[in-house]
């Protein structure tokens, strides 16, 4: 039960970090060497976490525009006691994203080591 609660806490930190564009929160849950992946029109984009973090730090946060926090965990797939894949959906301003986050539980707690994301729709 403890590992599930800890993982859920890390997911909530991720949600709050995205909603507030708060890189301090995101730094808590992203491993410094993690990468983010997307494919658009057949082109794979890979961003190291520090590059993506700066993008987030410089964009308008959903909370500052009055958008309500909209998010859901779709699935958790436990690979082991120390590794899990979390699929979730969230809204960021006028975009709905589906993210697949690869988490590992190491010395610094649950951290995202890879994120694959997809822009599901825009509002």
């Amino acid at each position: 039960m403890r590992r599930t609660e800890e993982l859920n806490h890390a997911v909530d930190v991720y949600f709050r970090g995205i909603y507030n564009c708060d890189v301090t929160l995101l730094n808590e849950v992203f491993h410094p060497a993690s990468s983010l992946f997307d494919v658009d029109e057949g082109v794979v984009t890979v961003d190291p976490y520090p590059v993506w973090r700066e993008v987030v730090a410089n964009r308008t946060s959903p909370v500052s525009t009055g958008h309500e926090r909209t998010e859901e965990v779709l699935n958790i797939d436990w690979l082991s006691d120390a590794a899990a894949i979390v699929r979730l959906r969230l809204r960021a301003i006028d975009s709905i994203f589906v993210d697949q986050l690869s988490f590992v539980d190491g010395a610094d707690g649950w951290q995202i080591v890879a994120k694959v994301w997809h822009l599901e729709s825009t509002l």
Side-chain angles (χ1 to χ4, degrees), residues 6-23:
E6 290 172 351
L7 179 61
N8 286 335
H9 173 74
V11 170
D12 183 62
V13 170
Y14 172 77
F15 281 142
R16 287 186 290 128
I18 296 293
Y19 183 67
N20 293 289
C21 291
D22 185 335
V23 296

Side-chain angles (χ1 to χ4, degrees), residues 9-84:
H9 173 74
V11 170
D12 183 62
V13 170
Y14 172 77
F15 281 142
R16 287 186 290 128
I18 296 293
Y19 183 67
N20 293 289
C21 291
D22 185 335
V23 296
T24 301
L25 288 173
L26 295 174
N27 286 341
E28 290 182 29
V29 292
F30 273 91
H31 188 279
S34 62
S35 294
L36 296 86
F37 302 85
D38 177 40
V39 63
D40 190 23
E41 297 180 13
V43 177
V44 176
T45 303
V46 182
D47 289 317
Y49 171 65
V51 171
W52 177 78
R53 178 185 60 214
E54 290 308 307
V55 170
V56 173
N58 291 298
R59 70 180 178 203
T60 303
S61 69
V63 69
S64 71
T65 60
H67 286 92
E68 67 180 75
R69 198 170 145 185
T70 306
E71 65 220 10
E72 65 181 313
V73 173
L74 302 173
N75 185 50
I76 298 176
D77 185 14
W78 290 96
L79 305 175
S80 71
D81 284 343

Side-chain angles (χ1 to χ4, degrees), residues 45 103 107 116 119:
T45 303
F103 278 91
V116 178
L119 174 62

